[in-house]
Amino acid sequence: MKKLLFICFLILGAPQLVLSQSLESPDGNFEMKFSLNEKGKPFYQLSYKNEPVIKPSALGFDLKEGEDLIDGFAIIDTTTSSYDNTWKPVWGEEKEIRNHYNELAVTLNQEETGRKMLIRFRLFNDGLGFRYEFPQQDSLGHFVIEDEKTEFAMTGDHTAWWIPGDYDTQEYDYTESKLSEIRGLMEKSITGNLSQTSFSPTGVQTSLMMKTDDGIYINLHEAALKEYSTMHLNLDDKNMVFEAWLTPDVNGDKVFMIAPSVTPWRTIMVSDDARDILASKMTYNLNDPSKIEDTSWIKPMKYVGVWWEMITGKSTWAYTDEFEAVKLGETNYEAAKPNGTHGATTENVKKYIDFAAENGFDGVLVEGWNIGWEDWFGHSKEYVFDFVTPYPDFDVEEIQKYAESKGVEMIMHHETSSSVRNYERHLDTAYQFMKKYGYDAVKSGYVGDILPKGQNHYNQWMVNHYLYALKKAADYHIMVNAHEAVRPTGLARTWPNLIANESARGTEYQSFGGSKPNHVTVLPFTRLLGGPMDYTPGIFEMDLSKLNPDNESHVNSTIANQLALYVTMYSPLQMAADLPENYMRFPDAFQFIKDVPVEWDKSIYLEAEPGDYITVARKEKNSDDWFVGNVNGKRTRTSKISFDFLDPDKVYLATVYADAKDADYKTNPQAYTIKKYRVTNKSKLSQASVEGGGYAISIIAADKKEVKNLPKL
Ligand code: NOJ
Ligand code: CA
């Protein structure tokens, strides 16, 4: 390790870095340099294949009280180490994950105050992670971070795929632009949401994906966000320097710290091949191993639900139209006239259970089952839901018995309506209710402004809440899929019962005016790096006026694109979101959704370019079968792949679900072809996908006889 550490004196332009220590990645492609300037201010910089990717960038904090942790530091200790280990995730894209890095830990002493701050750098073959640590010490106990001053100084005016910085929502379409264009495009990029707080004309969220003019891909994010507030990035667009911008509380305080403590990791992934960013497991590797010992109760699931019909406005969460306001415990539901559009009726739920059982789905989600939906947001109402009282037409016991008899799991829904204190008050009874009726998974949600007032979706108080709800769920052996929660940062390694999050613009927006046709070619480069998304794919009817005459939205995607999402958007929790009757209209395409698994042993990214296209092959867990997905964003493009990932000793039956030649995501989204081929590891495919289109392939190991009459690929 000694060779990784050397000390030299640098006289650069600005800043003047006087002392520098260096760390290399295991493969030697990266070099990170840590320095102090003449004022004792810390800096880091990063190069990849001998070219700078992060110019000298400052490190440190403004504190609310006392001397800032910005300069006046001296190095009192440095240690280096190497780590190389392999771990097995409970679920994931891979059976095994290698965690391999070189580490440099620098302990700084602020000479005037005697305060100690350690900065730990881990350099992987896919990028850099670093965090600040505050050891127990006499001169630093409680302190309030006013601003984190970590910088990420870019080397140029890169292309970025960004969403507006916001303390309350991530449900935005991505904008592709030069960094210098962010300011001019910001206003247009801020589309409506029920809770949103933007903060700067050049503020963006992480994970932020970029590409340099030289074809280097750079991704900025964070890992292991715990007991801290969410990091955004604010761009100084004169100098192309991003500054960390933490999410404050109502008083402007960013983080309450108590030493000993650590910050989340700041991550910088870099590669000259976009596929490496998608395959990177750095975010997970920077999180702690699972704290759940017996994980046998954590199970990936494919599910359907009483959901899309409400999202499209075909039916309602609410049971009655009679109440202007609802007071739980006082409003008399038994006497109310049902509105006739309530989705979560026992009868309707049974239909979904039958559909799930007949088509091999594991679970059924039901929303709008509990009283309160007539008056659930918009009034800063605290006691909105009790999470245990069903509507009169939802027979929880009968539904449970019926589901059990059909071998189907029910999935609970807890819309907190962001009344977080109310949710915490009810959490134990809510989880106990679930266990009593056999529900092992919950979809939670945080629509609207957070209560207590002054908190927001991504500040420290809420980050603590999400983890509290998740840990308590683990105590009850409950899996969590939280919507509108903070975007994931790899915490599912530590708490694998976090089987998905929404925390981005999901399919629901296709019903609220539509999303950009290339949205799904960006998400795997950004949102998915921190953990799986409950994107809820599988929409077959794109003209939503067919479901609800008042809904003018159009789903900007072809059917083949929807199928591909089950492979390209990795998640151990996958929904088939459309209504059963729409699947029954296209049984041959639906077959792919029935066949595609949610558990994998191996993933190979075959083609990738952010905003443009992604093609991935995945091998089913404990099986010889493979599945391929291609999503295509911008224009008709021919994807060219080789099947050399297949076992050379086997033959396979490949079924290719693709856009028909005349498919068009706007005018002809349901035009697809299904072709069957005999394939081996020598096979190759050239397949065209239209804008907003794609293709999906199931590759099933077969008997030679079975496939002998099929055309060879
Ligand atoms: C927003 C969620 O994303 C959506 O899935 C859910 O149906 C609604 N909130 C109601 O809880
Ligand atoms: Ca949402």
Side-chain angles (χ1 to χ4, degrees), residues 33-325:
K33 280 195 181 136
F34 173 80
S35 328
L36 290 180
N37 73 2
E38 72 286 356
K39 290 196 178 121
K41 180 173 172 152
F43 289 83
Y44 75 100
Q45 57 191 294
L46 183 68
S47 65
Y48 171 69
K49 297 190 176 170
N50 300 318
E51 293 296 328
V53 280
I54 304 285
K55 295 199 294 188
S57 300
L59 297 159
F61 299 89
D62 277 352
L63 301 190
K64 193 173 177 186
E65 282 163 4
E67 187 68 30
D68 292 331
L69 294 168
I70 289 289
D71 54 17
F73 288 108
I75 296 177
I76 54 169
D77 188 34
T78 56
T79 54
T80 55
S81 58
S82 285
Y83 186 85
D84 189 2
N85 218 325
T86 298
W87 57 281
K88 289 189 168 59
V90 176
W91 42 257
E93 296 169 280
E94 308 287 340
K95 189 157 68 178
E96 291 192 329
I97 293 175
R98 185 174 180 194
N99 186 5
H100 187 196
Y101 59 81
N102 291 332
E103 180 175 295
L104 168 68
V106 186
T107 306
L108 300 172
N109 178 44
Q110 194 174 38
E111 289 180 318
E112 233 172 73
T113 62
R115 289 169 173 173
K116 313 264 179 304
M117 177 168 86
L118 185 150
I119 309 176
R120 190 179 300 279
F121 297 94
R122 288 189 181 162
L123 201 42
F124 301 78
N125 290 341
D126 38 359
L128 175 69
F130 64 89
R131 74 176 181 192
Y132 304 87
E133 302 182 4
F134 301 96
Q136 190 164 343
Q137 52 192 293
D138 295 341
S139 42
L140 197 63
H142 289 271
F143 58 107
V144 179
I145 294 177
E146 198 170 61
D147 267 318
E148 180 179 324
K149 305 301 276 185
T150 305
E151 291 177 349
F152 305 85
M154 299 296 110
T155 56
D157 188 10
H158 306 330
T159 300
W161 289 265
W162 56 275
I163 53 173
D166 198 299
Y167 300 155
D168 283 294
T169 187
Q170 294 230 309
E171 295 179 349
Y172 291 118
D173 258 319
Y174 285 89
T175 299
E176 177 181 334
S177 79
K178 289 283 186 189
L179 295 177
S180 57
E181 293 166 338
I182 290 177
R183 183 183 294 277
L185 291 167
M186 182 59 72
E187 211 176 298
K188 207 173 115 205
S189 304
I190 301 175
T191 46
N193 194 276
L194 287 175
S195 175
Q196 58 191 148
T197 313
S198 56
F199 56 82
S200 155
T202 55
V204 296
Q205 305 206 31
T206 77
S207 142
L208 175 68
M209 190 65 213
M210 286 174 283
K211 185 180 183 182
T212 71
D213 289 345
D214 299 331
I216 304 294
Y217 299 88
I218 304 172
N219 185 287
L220 304 181
H221 194 30
E222 63 180 317
L225 168 59
K226 286 179 288 190
E227 297 171 29
Y228 204 82
S229 87
T230 307
M231 181 178 74
H232 291 81
L233 298 169
N234 196 42
L235 179 68
D236 162 358
D237 51 359
K238 277 205 191 86
N239 300 303
M240 298 303 158
V241 176
F242 283 108
E243 254 199 15
W245 183 290
L246 299 180
T247 311
D249 68 10
V250 71
N251 299 315
D253 295 331
K254 304 280 170 66
V255 193
F256 292 84
M257 298 285 279
I258 307 174
S261 56
V262 300
T263 69
W265 296 91
R266 278 63 188 96
T267 62
I268 305 163
M269 287 177 196
V270 182
S271 179
D272 48 16
D273 185 337
R275 299 176 302 172
D276 294 341
I277 305 284
L278 298 176
S280 172
K281 295 286 169 279
M282 204 174 101
T283 313
Y284 282 116
N285 280 331
L286 287 166
N287 277 269
D288 292 334
S290 176
K291 293 221 193 284
I292 303 174
E293 263 172 39
D294 169 18
T295 55
S296 58
W297 51 276
I298 300 172
K299 295 207 169 69
M301 287 174 106
K302 203 157 50 170
Y303 74 102
V304 293
V306 182
W307 178 73
W308 188 238
E309 54 182 88
M310 279 91 87
I311 290 287
T312 54
K314 179 180 159 58
S315 62
T316 57
W317 284 272
Y319 165 78
T320 175
D321 296 337
E322 281 186 358
F323 304 138
E324 259 311 297

Side-chain angles (χ1 to χ4, degrees), residues 171 483-484 502 508-509:
E171 295 179 349
H483 279 223
E484 294 91 27
E502 180 192 43
E508 61 182 353
Y509 278 84

